[in-house]
């Protein structure tokens, strides 16, 4: 298979402008003749649906939540990057591009990343026009703060709830189009398959989560905006409902899955408390602007803290190890997430972790409060501090926060070309659902940037090129044999799940999968561990289909059935992630192979053999997937060993 990235020729700064000019257009009067399906209504989905409807297309939008406002984008806290250079501190479009390429450990396409940096400046203007209440300085100008992997302040924010405010802005634009009749909204509806006929995506098969009804929906193109697959680890900062089902079912119909082992571990999350905990809570990266990360210098002090014999505030300054500031003086506490997470793990592995489990370090605001005053810190992070206190029952204004890394984001996803089209013509993937922009590690505050860039400023251009090529008559009705066959396949899958009458719940099996993935394909990986994990996942898959139990019926609201289908997909994805991690014999970004590291424990890339996108092709049930490679070409940045020291 030949992977055509379709990155345009010409100078880097002119690629997107030239590409837009070369795209075919759809006459305004003809746009209403085209139907587009958008699956997912987070930032990427809501912005895409609203923008396409504004252009004149007829849009169907689907979400499994009861409202688009409940998409997981709402959970994003810290901010959104844009190369506005309002602080006059040396930022530029090229610097944002370079920081993103470097932060991703040189495993992303130059063309896609530069476009992201280029359109970032438009996103802020769009959102301000929608009324998004970004923080402002005393004089009324938009405020900025710093995030990891950058030495400039380019992050725009709305206190600690930036995702919520941005989603409300996109939701307002979407609601306008719903009221205008250009978008038809299908809440509490889950996509269970994509229909491919004649080599093109023709629509989707859905299940109504309230009634259990299976339905077909036809369109000229399908946009998947369904987020990432972090819940393959069971415990993550993702919403409990976040899943890989839409993307995975598309993968099984021919869409390539790219770099699935590239997963991000966020360094500042509230540590795991108990065995039956089902979710983890993020503490925004923005806290590292003012909070200092540290651990006790000695194992003895750490053990006393774990036993409750010593408090963090009792430890003298000379007995504390501010390990990020010590190891990375140039970036300090604002190193990228993969670097900060690994260093927290190293400290805990040495026996210097705190909390009862020994799996936590401190994030301390005492110096910031002393310097700026509690009122200032409260204005910046008040809602985050309140959230922490409600969960942990400890006052972070008086006692350092306890934090530990947790799964947060997935850089891998469906393979897409420069137009965001997957390997199936007519099927697009936007936002976290694709692999496009972040390489092996995403910089903080760039997820919101990518979701809105794809939805507001990329796919409204590139989709028109495909639609103009096929013409409005090239649409397969929902009554066609291809849809009926897909419906039968979905019903067969549901019948297979509902007839399972074993002893174990989907939740229990999901938790077991999560332990396997975290232990062997998490922050640290090895060939030995990955091979062991593959066997364990295969055994778990057999256990799933022979000893899993789903209660209730298919033709009703049945959350056990929903979860069972999602866990089945997670198990298959987990095996592919292990295969991908085994095949990539290097360390880069969030993919850390223990066999490949520098003398001081940093990721050691192998650019000669692994500077490529790994795109996997599904070949059938229980068959090994086929690896296709898209070589990454770097003409504007020099490949170097990442250093944040």
């Amino acid at each position: 298979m030949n992977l055509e990235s379709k990155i345009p020729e010409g100078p880097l700064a002119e690629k997107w402008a030239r590409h837009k000019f070369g795209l075919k257009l759809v006459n305004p009067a003809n746009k209403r003749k085209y139907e587009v399906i958008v699956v997912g209504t987070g930032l990427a989905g809501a912005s895409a649906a609203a923008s396409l409807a504004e252009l004149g297309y007829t849009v169907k939008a689907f979400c499994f939540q009861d409202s688009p406002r409940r998409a997981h984008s709402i959970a994003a806290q810290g901010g959104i990057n844009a190369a506005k250079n309002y602080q006059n501190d040396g930022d530029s479009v090229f610097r944002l591009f370079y920081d993103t390429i470097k932060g991703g450990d040189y495993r992303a396409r130059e063309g896609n990343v530069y476009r992201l940096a280029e359109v970032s400046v438009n996103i802020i203007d769009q959102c301000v026009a929608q009324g998004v209440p970004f923080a402002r300085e005393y004089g009324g100008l938009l405020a900025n703060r710093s995030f990891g992997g950058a030495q400039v302040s380019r992050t725009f924010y709305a206190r600690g709830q930036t995702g919520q405010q941005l989603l409300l802005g996109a939701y307002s634009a979407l609601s306008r189009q719903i009221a205008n009749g250009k978008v038809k909204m299908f809440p509490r509806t889950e996509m269970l398959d994509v229909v491919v006929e004649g080599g093109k995506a023709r629509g989707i098969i859905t299940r109504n989560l309230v009634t259990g009804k299976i339905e077909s929906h036809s369109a000229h193109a399908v946009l998947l905006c369904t987020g990432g697959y972090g819940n393959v680890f069971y415990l993550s900062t993702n919403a409990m409902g976040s899943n890989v089902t839409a993307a995975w079912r598309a993968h099984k119909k021919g869409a390539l899955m790219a770099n699935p082992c590239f997963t991000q571990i966020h360094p500042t999350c509230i540590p795991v408390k108990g065995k039956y905990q089902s979710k983890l809570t993020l503490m925004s990266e923005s806290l590292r602007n003012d909070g200092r990360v540290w651990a006790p210098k000695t194992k003895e002090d750490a053990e006393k803290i774990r036993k409750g014999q010593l408090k963090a505030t009792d430890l003298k300054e000379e007995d504390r190890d501010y390990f990020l500031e010590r190891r990375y003086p140039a970036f300090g506490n604002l190193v990228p997430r993969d670097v900060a997470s690994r260093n927290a793990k190293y400290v805990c592995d040495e026996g210097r972790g705190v909390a009862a489990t020994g799996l936590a370090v401190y994030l301390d605001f005492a110096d910031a409060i002393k310097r700026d005053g509690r009122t200032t810190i409260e204005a910046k992070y008040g809602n985050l501090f309140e959230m922490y206190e409600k969960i942990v029952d400890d006052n972070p204004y008086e006692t350092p926060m306890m934090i530990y890394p947790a799964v947060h984001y997935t850089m891998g996803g469906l393979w897409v070309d420069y137009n965001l089209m997957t390997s199936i013509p007519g099927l697009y993937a936007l936002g976290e659902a694709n692999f496009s922009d972040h390489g092996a590690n995403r910089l903080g505050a760039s997820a919101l940037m990518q979701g809105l860039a794809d939805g507001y400023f990329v796919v409204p251009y590139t989709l028109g090129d495909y639609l103009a090529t096929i013409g409005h008559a090239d649409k397969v009705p929902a009554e066609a044999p291809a849809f009926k066959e897909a419906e039968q396949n979905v019903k067969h899958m549901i019948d297979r799940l509902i007839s399972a009458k074993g002893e174990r719940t989907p939740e229990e099996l999901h938790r077991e999968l999560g332990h396997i993935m975290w232990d062997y394909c998490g922050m640290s990986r090895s060939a030995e561990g990955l091979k062991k994990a593959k066997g364990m996942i295969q055994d778990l898959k057999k256990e799933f289909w022979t000893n899993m139990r789903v209660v209730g019926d298919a033709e009703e609201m049945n959350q056990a059935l929903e979860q069972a289908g999602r866990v089945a997909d997670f198990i298959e994805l987990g095996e592919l992630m292990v295969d991908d991690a085994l095949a990539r014999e290097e360390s880069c970004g969030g993919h850390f192979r223990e066999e490949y590291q520098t003398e001081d424990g940093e990721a050691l890339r192998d650019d000669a053999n692994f500077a490529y996108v790994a795109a996997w092709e599904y070949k059938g049930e229980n068959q090994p997937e086929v690896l296709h490679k898209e070589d990454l070409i770097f003409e504007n940045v020099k490949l170097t060993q990442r250093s944040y020291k």
Side-chain angles (χ1 to χ4, degrees):
M1 181 181 292
N2 183 27
L3 297 180
E4 294 185 28
S5 64
K6 297 183 181 177
I7 296 176
E9 300 292 330
L12 185 66
E14 298 176 15
K15 286 183 185 293
W16 178 228
R18 288 186 179 190
H19 188 67
K20 285 191 292 185
F21 182 74
L23 293 172
K24 294 179 181 178
L25 301 175
V26 178
N27 182 296
N30 286 335
K31 286 190 171 81
R32 65 178 68 96
K33 300 176 183 177
Y34 291 92
E35 280 192 46
V36 180
I37 285 173
V38 178
V39 185
T41 54
L43 286 180
S47 59
S51 299
L52 293 172
E54 185 77 42
L55 286 170
Y57 297 109
T58 299
V59 178
K60 289 182 178 180
F62 298 80
C63 68
F64 63 75
Q65 300 92 344
D66 56 359
S67 166
R69 289 176 299 172
R70 294 188 181 275
H72 185 59
S73 299
I74 205 167
Q77 297 170 353
I80 177 171
N81 288 329
K84 285 286 198 182
N85 194 31
Y86 282 170
Q87 303 302 314
N88 198 28
D89 56 0
D91 200 12
S92 64
V93 168
F94 191 87
R95 186 175 294 279
L96 175 52
F97 153 76
Y98 177 77
D99 287 346
T100 305
I101 287 281
K102 177 184 175 183
D105 220 352
Y106 305 94
R107 290 295 176 263
R109 296 177 185 147
E110 283 190 342
N112 288 59
V113 175
Y114 190 88
R115 176 177 65 187
L116 176 65
E118 185 180 348
V119 303
S120 70
V121 297
N122 299 328
I123 295 171
I124 303 305
D125 297 338
Q126 168 87 358
C127 295
V128 169
Q130 290 175 337
V132 173
F134 286 123
R136 294 179 182 267
E137 296 174 347
Y138 181 76
L141 300 176
L142 292 176
N144 294 111
R145 56 189 176 198
S146 299
F147 258 61
Q151 291 182 305
V152 296
S153 295
R154 63 163 69 101
T155 305
F156 295 78
Y157 62 97
R159 211 177 181 197
Q161 49 185 256
T162 314
Q164 180 183 35
Q165 299 304 323
L166 290 173
L167 185 59
L168 290 174
Y171 175 69
S172 67
L174 176 62
S175 296
R176 177 172 174 267
Q177 297 305 326
I178 293 172
N180 287 344
K182 293 303 295 179
V183 174
K184 186 173 182 181
M185 191 69 225
F186 293 84
R188 303 293 288 132
T189 305
E190 183 170 28
M191 173 190 146
L192 294 181
D193 206 356
V194 60
V195 178
V196 179
E197 197 272 338
K200 300 172 186 173
R202 302 297 190 173
I204 62 173
I205 308 299
T206 64
R207 179 175 180 269
N208 185 309
L209 298 183
V210 177
T211 66
K213 185 178 180 183
I214 305 299
E215 295 180 309
S216 292
H217 298 273
S218 170
H220 292 88
V222 177
L223 278 57
L224 298 184
C225 312
T226 50
Y229 48 86
N231 277 347
V232 69
F233 292 89
Y234 184 71
L235 283 178
S236 80
T237 65
N238 289 184
M240 290 287 290
S242 297
N243 63 81
V244 75
T245 290
W248 190 252
R249 304 287 170 90
H251 174 56
K252 294 175 81 166
K253 280 298 183 72
L256 301 183
M257 183 67 75
N259 300 334
C261 78
F262 286 173
T263 54
Q264 178 162 90
I265 313 294
H266 197 294
T268 53
C269 301
I270 296 177
V272 176
K273 185 72 175 176
K275 180 180 178 181
Y276 294 104
Q277 188 169 339
S278 56
K279 189 186 181 316
L280 295 174
T281 304
L282 172 71
M283 285 286 103
S284 169
E285 181 169 316
S286 62
L287 294 171
R288 288 196 275 146
N289 274 278
D290 291 299
R292 301 179 70 193
V293 180
W294 65 272
K297 278 187 178 178
T298 67
K299 297 179 184 178
E300 292 74 22
D301 283 341
E303 188 172 354
K304 288 178 182 177
I305 290 173
R306 290 196 293 269
K307 291 181 176 179
Q309 298 169 356
L310 195 67
K311 294 181 180 178
T313 49
D314 295 334
L315 221 56
K316 296 178 182 177
E317 194 71 14
E318 58 266 26
D319 295 326
R320 303 179 178 192
D321 177 19
Y322 295 92
F323 53 91
L324 293 180
E325 297 174 23
R326 171 173 56 81
R327 293 197 65 185
Y328 308 97
F331 282 74
N333 294 297
L334 286 173
V335 292
R337 291 174 176 177
D338 61 314
V339 177
S341 294
R342 273 196 297 276
N343 278 272
K345 182 180 184 297
Y346 293 155
V347 166
C348 293
D349 288 349
E350 291 171 1
R352 295 193 288 130
V354 295
T357 59
L359 297 177
V361 295
Y362 288 122
L363 183 62
D364 198 336
F365 293 86
D367 288 350
I369 292 171
K370 185 177 179 181
R371 180 185 67 238
D372 299 329
R374 173 168 170 159
T375 303
T376 300
I377 299 301
E378 198 168 342
K380 288 182 179 179
Y381 314 116
N383 65 311
L384 299 173
F385 279 45
E386 289 170 16
M387 189 190 311
Y388 180 88
E389 186 169 6
K390 284 181 180 178
I391 294 172
V392 181
D393 194 24
D394 207 356
N395 186 345
Y397 292 105
E398 300 171 1
T399 307
M401 285 184 178
M402 285 188 292
I403 57 166
Y404 192 69
V407 174
H408 177 59
Y409 187 89
T410 53
M411 286 76 66
L414 292 173
W415 181 90
V416 293
D417 62 17
Y418 192 70
N419 293 328
L420 304 185
M421 189 187 289
T422 69
S423 49
I424 300 175
L427 180 68
Y428 293 74
L430 282 65
E432 193 179 353
N434 72 35
F435 87 101
S436 170
D437 295 342
H438 305 295
N441 175 65
R442 176 176 66 77
L443 292 185
S446 288
L448 305 185
M449 175 174 63
Q450 187 207 349
L452 292 180
D454 288 354
Y456 280 139
F457 297 109
V458 178
V459 85
Y461 288 98
T462 61
L463 178 63
D465 182 70
Y466 171 74
L467 296 178
T469 302
I470 65 170
H472 61 81
D474 190 4
K475 181 171 180 276
V476 176
E479 298 75 30
F483 280 89
K484 297 305 176 187
E485 182 183 349
E487 273 192 30
Q488 288 305 312
N489 290 338
V490 166
K491 289 176 180 176
H492 174 72
M493 172 72 163
I494 290 173
D495 289 343
R496 190 180 176 195
L497 291 169
I498 212 77
S499 63
K501 300 302 178 186
E503 300 296 325
R504 303 182 67 184
T505 65
E507 176 89 1
E508 186 182 351
L509 293 159
H510 190 185
R511 186 184 296 114
E512 186 174 332
L513 173 66
H515 285 310
I516 297 170
M517 296 303 296
W518 178 254
D519 289 344
Y520 301 108
C521 197
M523 267 196 287
S524 186
R525 302 152 181 192
S526 68
E528 181 184 1
L530 290 166
K531 289 173 184 175
K532 181 179 179 181
K534 185 174 175 68
M536 294 172 74
I537 294 170
Q538 289 173 339
D539 291 343
L540 184 66
K541 185 176 181 179
K542 293 174 186 173
E543 176 78 356
F544 179 89
W545 288 111
T546 58
N547 196 27
M548 187 260 303
R549 182 180 184 87
V550 175
V551 296
D553 297 319
E555 295 174 357
E556 63 179 4
M557 181 184 287
N558 189 336
Q559 292 186 318
L561 175 61
E562 294 170 34
Q563 187 175 24
R566 295 167 186 174
V567 174
D569 294 331
F570 276 137
I571 290 172
E572 293 180 355
L573 168 67
E575 187 173 353
L576 180 60
M577 289 171 66
V578 167
D579 287 340
D580 189 41
L582 261 174
R584 190 170 284 276
E585 296 178 341
E586 64 163 355
S587 291
C588 56
H591 169 64
F592 190 79
R593 284 282 296 267
E594 294 170 5
E595 306 95 326
Y596 309 102
Q597 55 183 300
T598 63
E599 290 182 1
D600 53 355
E602 302 293 350
L604 183 62
R605 295 194 323 271
D606 180 356
D607 296 328
N609 296 304
F610 294 97
Y612 62 73
V613 176
W616 295 86
E617 180 184 4
Y618 183 79
K619 299 302 273 185
E621 188 77 18
N622 296 320
Q623 298 297 313
E625 300 212 5
V626 174
L627 172 62
H628 301 278
K629 300 176 182 179
E630 179 201 331
D631 291 331
L632 292 168
I633 299 170
F634 296 94
E635 300 173 330
N636 299 275
V637 297
K638 183 180 179 181
L639 293 176
T640 60
Q641 176 67 35
R642 277 194 315 172
S643 175
Y644 293 95
K645 296 184 176 182

